[in-house]
Amino acid sequence: MITVLEILVIIVSLLLITVVVAQKSKTQGMGAGFGGGAEDLFGSRARGMDALLSKMTDHPFRYFRCLNLTFRQIVAYILTDI
């Protein structure tokens, strides 16, 4: 049971890392201070791949959080039995 949860946590965490790294940065870094961020002045909305990746980040995060809480409860239960 614990091994299955460990494998699921690893798979979901790698998926979450991949989705977060694939997203474009919300800030323009140093270039925004010199006038490079003018296109964000009027609040452009994310479309296409950016919107999809943003939505895809939410679900793996929820799975990751639930798996870790479940894993923590199982380990705590096993340690209190010893």
Side-chain angles (χ1 to χ4, degrees):
M1 175 78 172
I2 291 179
T3 306
V4 172
L5 280 175
E6 287 176 340
I7 292 170
L8 285 173
V9 166
I10 290 171
I11 290 171
V12 170
S13 63
L14 289 175
L15 176 67
L16 186 61
I17 290 169
T18 304
V19 171
V20 169
V21 169
Q23 291 181 6
K24 282 175 57 176
S25 176
K26 300 269 189 239
T27 62
Q28 299 297 322
M30 292 290 289
F34 300 107
E39 63 272 0
D40 292 334
L41 182 62
F42 299 107
S44 62
R45 295 188 63 183
R47 292 191 177 141
M49 188 60 88
D50 290 335
L52 178 66
L53 288 174
S54 178
K55 290 177 185 175
M56 284 179 56
T57 304
D58 190 42
H59 295 292
F61 174 72
R62 289 180 186 183
Y63 299 145
F64 181 76
R65 184 176 56 196
C66 290
L67 283 171
N68 279 325
L69 289 174
T70 304
F71 186 70
R72 187 182 125 220
Q73 292 295 332
I74 291 173
V75 169
Y77 178 74
I78 290 172
L79 290 177
T80 56
D81 272 352
I82 296 179

